[in-house]
Amino acid sequence: MTTHLSEQTATAAASGAAATQRFQQKKTTASAGKERVDTLATEIIQAVHDVIRRHKVTYEEYDAFKAWLIQVGQDGEWPLFLDVWIEHVVEEVVNENRNGSKGTIEGPYYVPDAPALPAEATLPMRPDEPGTPLLFQGQVRSVAGQALAGAKVEIWHADDLGYYSQYAPGLPEWNLRGTVIADEQGRFWINTVQPAPYQIPTDGACGKLIAAAGWHAWRPAHLHLKVSAPGHQLLTTQLYFRGGDHVDTDIAQAVKPELILDPRPRVDGRGNEVTYDFVLDEV
Ligand code: MBD
Ligand code: FE
């Protein structure tokens, strides 16, 4: 029982520090030329100038903005801020020509190299893991309709209180994270529990912005996935639950109609089940 209480002692600064450290371990590969950097940096700065002129920003507001930006860094919330308010447009632009399954944002809480699991898998979870059991099953195929044997289905999601392992205290390292290897016909059966909606930490800089602007701090309940197979483009996506809270008002604007699941009760009475197939574009 105490394990479930301790994750609720999560702080913005601790989860922010973990997300910042994780991102700094990621291999980033951009090598833009001077011209590209000049164009993007100039236009971003001009966009800020435009807002200042249009709204006649005061020195008090300028100082508040400066203090807030400094606080975002101190709280380690740059990954959170960027993934909540910016990433969805990058995803839109980068994936606009795909023919396979829809993707959406990765967010700040992916951890590579989660434990490998067979096609029929149960995600690592606590013996008393709270929440409604969910069987998530499907098949990975190419755009041409060919089953992709041995496809990799990486899955990670929040628990029944809305917390992610490695970003909240008291949770086992790989809780509700796994790398499922699909069978010869690209099929998988993943036993887990349904996640709860995710609330942006209220005690950090992002929470302060949300409160000051009168926004809400919620993402709808979601499963995160990275699906891959040799010769095919990696698909980074999320799946949501029809009728769930905040599905129509995701603060991260990452919901798409194609990404909403309709789970139904299992005949054996053990929670819900849902089928979702992934279609990967060729490289
Ligand atoms: C999340 O769980 C998430 O998926 C995103 C995109 C941002 C913040 C928290
Ligand atoms: Fe998430």
Side-chain angles (χ1 to χ4, degrees):
M1 227 35 211
T2 48
T3 51
H4 306 157
L5 288 171
S6 95
E7 62 192 294
Q8 292 180 287
T9 66
T11 62
S15 73
T20 296
Q21 198 175 42
R22 170 62 54 196
F23 181 74
Q24 286 173 325
Q25 286 166 9
K26 179 177 173 176
K27 287 185 186 66
T28 52
T29 52
S31 58
K34 278 202 176 79
E35 206 180 318
R36 177 79 170 166
V37 176
D38 175 35
T39 301
L40 298 183
T42 299
E43 292 199 23
I44 289 168
I45 291 165
Q46 276 173 357
V48 176
H49 296 166
D50 288 347
V51 171
I52 294 167
R53 291 201 178 97
R54 202 155 0 109
H55 297 281
K56 301 211 179 297
V57 167
T58 66
Y59 255 107
E60 288 73 18
E61 289 166 336
Y62 176 67
D63 283 348
F65 177 55
K66 214 179 197 176
W68 181 80
L69 290 173
I70 292 167
Q71 193 67 50
V72 174
Q74 285 179 340
D75 291 341
E77 284 198 330
W78 280 116
L80 182 67
F81 171 77
L82 289 164
D83 296 351
V84 167
W85 283 291
I86 309 294
E87 188 187 355
H88 69 98
V89 186
V90 180
E91 192 281 328
E92 169 192 314
V93 166
V94 166
N95 290 332
E96 64 186 350
N97 293 324
R98 286 199 190 209
N99 297 309
S101 298
K102 289 283 177 208
T104 191
I105 64 177
E106 174 175 320
Y109 301 141
Y110 170 64
V111 181
D113 305 317
L117 302 167
E120 288 188 65
T122 298
L123 294 188
M125 65 176 79
R126 295 162 286 180
D128 56 348
E129 190 66 42
T132 305
L134 176 70
L135 170 61
F136 174 68
Q137 59 194 354
Q139 186 189 35
V140 185
R141 296 188 299 270
S142 67
V143 170
Q146 190 188 17
L148 296 174
K152 211 162 86 172
V153 180
E154 293 179 89
I155 180 167
W156 72 102
H157 64 82
D159 67 11
D160 187 57
L161 291 175
Y163 293 96
Y164 286 86
S165 59
Q166 302 190 37
Y167 298 93
L171 293 167
E173 185 176 21
W174 296 105
N175 213 55
L176 305 178
R177 297 176 180 273
T179 302
V180 176
I181 309 301
D183 73 4
E184 283 304 303
Q185 289 155 62
R187 296 172 304 180
F188 59 87
W189 298 262
I190 302 170
N191 288 284
T192 185
V193 296
Q194 286 188 210
Y198 175 84
Q199 185 180 30
I200 308 286
T202 52
D203 60 322
C206 290
K208 218 165 157 182
L209 170 62
I210 288 165
W215 301 338
H216 78 74
W218 292 92
R219 299 212 62 225
H222 54 280
L223 305 174
H224 287 273
L225 296 126
K226 281 182 180 282
V227 184
S228 57
H232 293 78
Q233 292 181 44
L234 168 69
L235 173 70
T236 299
T237 194
Q238 297 181 31
L239 296 170
Y240 306 91
F241 298 89
R242 191 174 312 281
D245 290 343
H246 320 294
V247 168
D248 298 320
T249 58
D250 178 13
I251 189 162
Q253 297 179 60
V255 178
K256 303 179 185 185
E258 300 87 347
L259 302 180
I260 301 177
L261 300 173
D262 284 300
R264 48 193 169 83
R266 290 179 60 162
V267 285
D268 63 10
R270 301 204 337 249
N272 295 326
E273 67 181 15
V274 68
T275 301
Y276 190 89
D277 295 342
F278 297 102
V279 178
L280 302 187
D281 284 80
E282 278 165 30
V283 183

